[in-house]
Amino acid sequence: MRKFPFTFILSLLFFSIFWSCREEKKVDISHSLDASKMPSMSTRNIATLISDSGITQYKIISPLWNIYDEADTPYWSFPEGLYLQKYDHEYNVIATVAADSAKYFKNERLWRLEGEVEMTKVPDELFLSPRVFWDQRKQQLYSDTFIHIENATHVIEGTGFVSDESLNNYRILHPNGIFPINRDSI
């Protein structure tokens, strides 16, 4: 029993010497962190539904979703790509959007889709461009880059594009394309 207090005191002495010899380094990280450049939320492998007035409008799927709420202009970032489906009131898919990367500027309600942007409109219309903007306030899609549109009857290409968000009424600012003609009507 006498060994216990001696061993206990020796252990305390050893630990106190060990801790007193330890060199403490203080690191000031307050200057190296900028909240405006760090995501306030980061989520992997998301699939979420977006509704308006209780009606599901869109489904978003992405491998990575970062939210930057502390930035001067708050935005969402989808750096690894985005896939979006638009639904009608009966939950049928009426359009899809796929992009290599995307940003959504929250206050402006503006999407910037980049990389290989592919938009489809049911039943058979395809829109391809390296960059497309979607202004939800104006309910408008537009691009200042190359655009390729194809459907069952024609292929149109050009530079610059403006459309309503349903892709029903669109125009190409500087068009060129291949239009089939009916030789019997000439």
Side-chain angles (χ1 to χ4, degrees):
M1 283 261 208
R2 284 188 112 168
K3 284 188 171 183
F4 176 73
F6 179 72
T7 308
F8 181 72
I9 293 172
L10 187 60
S11 297
L12 282 176
L13 183 62
F14 173 74
F15 282 116
S16 66
I17 292 171
F18 174 76
W19 286 109
S20 65
C21 293
R22 188 178 73 149
E23 183 180 327
E24 288 188 26
K25 290 184 181 180
K26 292 184 180 182
V27 178
D28 182 16
I29 60 170
S30 63
H31 297 294
S32 62
L33 298 179
D34 184 356
S36 67
K37 295 180 182 174
M38 295 176 56
S40 53
M41 185 190 85
S42 186
T43 305
R44 288 222 167 259
N45 302 318
I46 64 125
T48 188
L49 298 172
I50 298 175
S51 62
D52 184 12
S53 303
I55 299 171
T56 301
Q57 300 283 320
Y58 307 99
K59 180 178 186 179
I60 294 177
I61 300 169
S62 180
L64 179 61
W65 178 17
N66 293 322
I67 296 179
Y68 295 85
D69 280 335
E70 300 298 322
D72 293 337
T73 302
Y75 66 95
W76 301 350
S77 173
F78 301 87
E80 296 177 11
L82 171 80
Y83 179 74
L84 180 138
Q85 293 177 325
K86 179 162 177 44
Y87 299 107
D88 64 11
H89 293 293
E90 297 174 1
Y91 303 108
N92 297 310
V93 175
I94 58 172
T96 64
V97 175
D100 289 342
S101 69
K103 281 188 179 179
Y104 173 67
F105 299 94
K106 195 167 133 182
N107 296 343
E108 293 82 5
R109 294 187 58 208
L110 176 69
W111 286 88
R112 184 174 70 205
L113 309 163
E114 292 188 303
E116 291 184 29
V117 180
E118 179 180 298
M119 301 179 295
T120 62
K121 180 184 161 201
V122 172
D124 64 352
E125 223 161 354
L126 174 66
F127 298 77
L128 302 170
S129 181
R131 181 174 51 243
V132 173
F133 294 91
W134 174 18
D135 188 330
Q136 289 182 303
R137 285 187 179 156
K138 294 179 181 177
Q139 299 179 332
Q140 187 178 62
L141 293 161
Y142 61 91
S143 178
D144 57 355
T145 59
F146 172 79
I147 184 78
H148 171 93
I149 302 171
E150 63 182 75
N151 63 26
T153 61
H154 61 270
V155 173
I156 305 171
E157 292 181 337
T159 303
F161 164 78
V162 178
S163 175
D164 61 353
E165 65 183 6
S166 62
L167 295 170
N168 287 327
N169 301 306
Y170 58 83
R171 68 185 168 104
I172 296 178
L173 304 178
H174 304 284
N176 60 56
I178 302 167
F179 301 94
I181 58 170
N182 185 349
R183 295 204 181 266
D184 296 335
S185 64
I186 298 179

